[in-house]
Amino acid sequence: MRSPKKSTIALALSTLPAFLIGACGGNSTDPSGTTASPPVSAMAANSLQAIAYGAPDTSVPAGAGISITMMGQMRALFDLIRKSPDFTQVVMDLGDGSPVHVLDTNTGDKFLPGKLALGLSYILIDMKAKDDPKYADYLATYQKITTAMMQSSGAKYTYANTSWGEYYYLVALNNLNAHGMLNEVFSDAMLTTLQKRLNFCDMFGPDASGATDTCPAAGTAIDVASLNTAQNYYAVSYGIAGLRQKLGWSNPGFSSASDPSFATMGARDALLYTLTKHIRNDSSGGFSDEASNKNSTYYDQARFDRYSTLLIGEVVERTFEMGNQANLTPELKGYLRKSVDLILPQLNTDGQGFNYGRSIGPYGDSAFMEILTAAANAGVLTSNEMQIAYSFIYKAAYRFDNFWYDPSLPTPSVNMWVKGRGTDSYRGKARVMGENFSLLHQYLYVNNWWNKLGFGGKAPMADADFTSYLNGLPHYTLTLYNLPSDSAHPYSAALLTVRDGKRVINLNLSQAPDYNSYTPYYPVPFSDKLMYGTTDLGYALLIPQVSYNGKTYIPVTYYKNLNVQESNGQVVVSFDTTKFRQATKNAPYTTDLDLQAHTVLTFSSGTITRTDTLSSATLTGNVAVETDFTSFADYQNTSASGFNVNYADSAATNYGTTGFDNCSLSNFDTAGGTTNPLSTTPIGQLHSNFACMSTPFTLGAGVSRSFGWTLKYSVSN
């Protein structure tokens, strides 16, 4: 299938008005593999390069403030594998009494072969460039593992390697090719296998889980609407198609019953075209709705989270990676700028990223980093914003090495699973090896881009200047995901970011039908070490949770009448919740409760207050309300009296409630002698819970009842 002229694709991709934000940057080429370290004398110890690559031998430069470089971490993982007589028996021990066989076939990580091929390729490229005498030994290990992982056993391959895994593998192949190593590392037979297996076809047509090769016969086009997974996976298939094309490999074509233009496009550009329509149609302002699906009414949709903001960054990243900059339209750059504008007000001196929604933790930090890097390459940052972006990314890298990476574990590793931390089941502990590889790749990849952009080995701006910039950011920023005035979108969805000294507080209003029963999607403020959600679980965290007829209901969607005002240094937010949802994942909408809440949140310096006024014209029978506040404060240093609790060793100093009939303080981190799963947040363990409850009461026409809380916390400027 022939590719269209670039002008044709550019026109096809920009059928709606869009804008281009001019700035510096935007002319870099793909940085493949490892960028060599600048001369030691020219590299600042507090530079991104010093953390990612380090000295010429990848050791830690003096004064860098880290225990190991990222290249050092990658080499340690390679050595862990290389020294095992049987790589399928490699064990990583996180010190919780249950070591994991991280490279067997049952990890559940369907991206593992690609992550491993990419991660270990950094070491091969680096060793080859240095004429390292051990290169042949490491190459032999690499070839042994990659060959075994690609072997088929009957109808299936020994290891699954789908979507992201295929993309990661193709990044590795292109990096090796750029360094003239592809045919040295892979035999012709192996490349033939990879060319057949590394495709996007498993994401289209019927669910192809476990299938081997699902691409149609030559000359047969794939229906672009047959994607069998979430729509954001168009971005993964776009990366695969573009990287195959960069290697000179052919792709199946696409067709569409409703759009004949697909017949004139190659796969790469057809997927970019489809991606653009997804972002354009399933959002307002460029933030893709990651719960959107075909034949769905609006209230089934509207999950806005980390990935809604990151997706456009990944699209732009892939575009530069595959050398497709000619089709990076003003519309796409405009969407990318929207993501930049959402995260700039959240920047901080600690390198922390998203604190709400799913798949955060270290990926919340790296998402900011990826968006800012894509924006730097695309030319949508001002020269000052380039300096700000680099400074934040340096701090995120420093945080990764000193917070997320834990050298004290029996097997040093990134830690998302132990010592009070918890993550989504999607990133379960069995995937620990793959998560190390993908996170390290993100930082090494980003470092290589900033080296290309002229920042290699440079120190970030002075902390005083960075802090001065942050102090100059608006007191609050409101980002609307969709416009409440739009008749097709009757509900409010938005992110409010409030800055109080160094503290960043986010209030995310998102419908999230598939996740709204989990605390990270609750309509409550989240802020580092002050208020945080627990992944994949729900309880009455800072919301009026209602018990009615033996079931539990929560106000987690159907937001209307959102209003934000600032007066006398206070930010006042109000909104209405028109129904309460049953507190179970994907609860049927037929179980919604006819209960309304008018909510007012007030943000003052060092204080947040919330009042919920509940009413219903139709409920019969009694309801009861509970609201919990869980704290990072040590339970032993917490004291309660009546409806108030004081904290001695945390950012929170006091919490009190109104409207309830009784409250109780309890130890939250253990339940029955084991760790309470509700207590493990992405950033650490919650220790104490203050639960306040009402006795049962009735609501009816003309009757309402209000419940409230006030949280006080220390302010750092």
Side-chain angles (χ1 to χ4, degrees):
M1 184 171 290
R2 68 181 180 87
S3 297
K5 295 180 180 179
K6 292 177 180 176
S7 58
T8 302
I9 293 296
L11 288 172
L13 290 173
S14 55
T15 56
L16 289 184
F19 57 90
L20 172 63
I21 302 166
C24 57
N27 296 312
S28 298
T29 56
D30 176 30
S32 301
T34 302
T35 301
S37 176
V40 174
S41 60
M43 182 175 63
N46 62 332
S47 64
L48 181 59
Q49 176 77 5
I51 295 175
Y53 190 89
D57 63 353
T58 73
S59 64
V60 176
I66 59 175
S67 62
I68 186 173
T69 64
M70 293 173 177
M71 282 293 289
Q73 293 175 46
M74 200 74 88
R75 178 69 173 260
L77 291 171
F78 206 146
D79 286 340
L80 180 68
I81 298 169
R82 187 175 61 87
K83 292 175 182 177
S84 174
D86 179 355
F87 76 87
T88 67
Q89 299 304 306
V90 170
V91 170
M92 292 186 72
D93 183 357
L94 302 186
D96 60 347
S98 56
V100 180
H101 286 85
V102 290
L103 293 181
D104 67 19
T105 59
N106 299 311
T107 63
D109 189 346
K110 294 182 179 181
F111 316 145
L112 182 60
K115 288 183 177 183
L116 187 142
L118 175 57
L120 301 187
S121 71
Y122 278 94
I123 300 303
L124 288 186
I125 291 169
D126 187 56
M127 295 179 77
K128 178 74 172 181
K130 296 173 179 174
D131 291 323
D132 192 309
K134 295 182 180 179
Y135 170 73
D137 184 21
Y138 282 74
L139 174 60
T141 299
Y142 187 91
Q143 291 172 328
K144 173 185 175 182
I145 298 168
T146 53
T147 299
M149 284 189 163
M150 289 292 119
Q151 289 177 340
S152 61
S153 175
K156 295 183 179 181
Y157 287 101
T158 306
Y159 284 79
N161 188 54
T162 63
S163 58
W164 278 105
E166 294 163 298
Y167 160 74
Y168 286 129
Y169 218 121
L170 284 161
V171 174
L173 298 183
N174 275 276
N175 287 352
L176 290 165
N177 193 46
H179 287 82
M181 297 170 59
L182 184 60
N183 295 105
E184 177 181 325
V185 174
F186 293 102
S187 67
D188 289 345
M190 184 65 169
L191 287 173
T192 298
T193 297
L194 293 172
Q195 184 173 356
K196 182 180 180 182
R197 187 173 176 193
L198 303 178
N199 59 68
F200 47 73
C201 299
D202 55 316
M203 288 178 273
F204 293 87
D207 185 359
S209 177
T212 54
D213 302 296
T214 57
C215 285
T220 304
I222 298 172
D223 179 3
V224 76
S226 66
L227 188 74
N228 59 44
T229 183
Q231 288 195 59
N232 59 56
Y233 273 75
Y234 278 118
V236 185
S237 57
Y238 169 58
I240 291 170
L243 291 174
R244 283 179 62 91
Q245 184 171 322
K246 190 174 180 181
L247 285 172
W249 295 355
S250 62
N251 286 305
F254 281 96
S255 65
S256 171
S258 61
D259 193 338
S261 61
F262 281 92
T264 66
M265 299 182 199
R268 181 194 70 181
D269 296 326
L271 288 163
L272 182 58
Y273 176 86
T274 305
L275 261 171
T276 304
K277 289 202 300 182
H278 165 54
I279 299 173
R280 182 191 301 146
N281 297 337
D282 292 325
S283 66
S284 179
F287 302 103
S288 59
D289 171 10
E290 293 316 307
S292 63
N293 53 77
K294 296 181 287 293
N295 303 317
S296 172
T297 53
Y298 181 72
Y299 59 79
D300 286 323
Q301 303 179 24
R303 167 156 55 90
F304 296 99
D305 53 19
R306 174 190 70 98
Y307 209 75
S308 303
T309 308
L310 174 60
L311 179 61
I312 183 59
E314 289 185 344
V315 172
V316 173
E317 242 182 11
R318 302 297 95 86
T319 299
F320 277 94
E321 191 172 57
M322 66 182 67
N324 192 26
Q325 295 92 312
N327 288 327
L328 187 58
T329 64
E331 180 183 8
L332 291 170
K333 291 183 179 183
Y335 293 150
L336 179 59
R337 182 66 213 194
K338 289 283 189 178
S339 288
V340 170
D341 290 340
L342 180 138
I343 67 173
L344 283 180
Q346 300 181 60
L347 296 188
N348 54 83
T349 57
D350 295 320
Q352 300 164 23
F354 287 100
N355 55 19
Y356 59 90
R358 64 184 293 269
S359 288
I360 52 174
Y363 287 95
D365 301 350
S366 66
F368 277 21
M369 175 185 73
E370 288 191 89
I371 293 165
L372 292 172
T373 301
N377 274 315
V380 301
L381 299 182
T382 67
S383 57
N384 186 55
E385 287 171 343
M386 292 277 284
Q387 298 292 332
I388 295 297
Y390 176 73
S391 296
F392 175 83
I393 291 169
Y394 162 75
K395 292 181 180 297
Y398 187 84
R399 173 175 164 82
F400 180 86
D401 247 26
N402 285 287
F403 181 76
W404 294 115
Y405 177 76
D406 189 346
S408 70
L409 297 174
T411 306
S413 168
V414 64
N415 176 17
M416 295 188 280
W417 305 274
V418 299
K419 298 184 178 179
R421 300 179 190 176
T423 191
D424 313 74
S425 58
Y426 173 74
R427 301 190 191 279
K429 194 180 71 170
R431 289 177 50 165
V432 56
M433 177 70 86
E435 300 307 323
N436 274 273
F437 281 136
S438 56
L439 284 162
L440 288 170
H441 160 65
Q442 287 181 350
Y443 280 95
L444 292 169
Y445 176 85
V446 163
N447 176 62
N448 292 340
W449 272 121
W450 284 94
N451 287 353
K452 291 275 186 179
L453 289 165
F455 287 77
K458 291 186 178 180
M461 62 170 45
D463 282 349
D465 294 333
F466 189 42
T467 300
S468 178
Y469 170 84
L470 297 178
N471 289 341
L473 291 169
H475 185 197
Y476 83 91
T477 303
L478 179 66
T479 302
L480 295 175
Y481 299 129
N482 60 279
L483 301 178
S485 60
D486 186 343
S487 61
H489 296 174
Y491 302 110
S492 302
L495 174 70
L496 174 74
T497 298
V498 177
R499 300 189 67 90
D500 187 8
K502 290 184 177 181
R503 182 163 296 282
V504 176
I505 305 168
N506 283 318
L507 171 68
N508 194 49
L509 300 182
S510 175
Q511 316 305 323
D514 44 355
Y515 286 95
N516 59 18
S517 63
Y518 299 157
T519 54
Y521 288 90
Y522 284 5
V524 301
F526 291 117
S527 187
D528 184 58
K529 290 296 184 181
L530 182 63
M531 302 161 287
Y532 232 83
T534 304
T535 59
D536 291 352
L537 292 169
Y539 63 101
L541 176 64
L542 295 173
I543 60 170
Q545 177 176 284
V546 169
S547 297
Y548 179 72
N549 282 349
K551 296 180 180 178
T552 303
Y553 299 87
I554 48 181
V556 293
T557 189
Y558 299 122
Y559 311 119
K560 282 192 170 184
N561 305 320
L562 173 64
N563 184 271
V564 182
Q565 301 289 332
E566 183 171 15
S567 178
N568 298 321
Q570 292 185 329
V571 177
V572 181
V573 183
S574 62
F575 57 90
D576 297 317
T577 305
T578 60
K579 296 179 183 179
F580 275 43
R581 299 276 288 133
Q582 193 171 346
T584 56
K585 182 176 173 65
N586 287 321
Y589 289 94
T590 55
T591 65
D592 290 340
L593 192 64
D594 182 27
L595 178 63
Q596 293 76 48
H598 177 67
T599 301
V600 179
L601 277 152
T602 302
F603 298 85
S604 307
S605 183
T607 304
I608 304 172
T609 63
R610 174 171 174 147
T611 301
D612 293 283
T613 302
L614 274 55
S615 61
S616 175
T618 63
L619 286 188
T620 59
N622 290 333
V623 300
V625 175
E626 176 180 350
T627 294
D628 293 9
F629 174 61
T630 48
S631 173
F632 291 97
D634 191 351
Y635 173 69
Q636 302 301 323
N637 296 326
T638 302
S639 60
S641 176
F643 300 97
N644 283 272
V645 60
N646 294 310
Y647 305 100
D649 63 346
S650 74
T653 58
N654 178 269
Y655 172 80
T657 66
T658 58
F660 294 93
D661 297 307
N662 58 81
C663 297
S664 62
L665 178 67
S666 62
N667 189 344
F668 197 63
D669 55 15
T670 58
T674 61
T675 299
N676 177 4
L678 291 171
S679 72
T680 56
T681 77
I683 60 170
Q685 194 160 52
L686 298 162
H687 296 294
S688 63
N689 182 41
F690 193 61
C692 293
M693 291 147 284
S694 75
T695 55
F697 63 95
T698 59
L699 286 172
V703 178
S704 64
R705 181 162 172 177
S706 295
F707 300 88
W709 53 257
T710 298
L711 174 65
K712 296 182 179 180
Y713 57 89
S714 57
V715 178
S716 177
N717 294 305

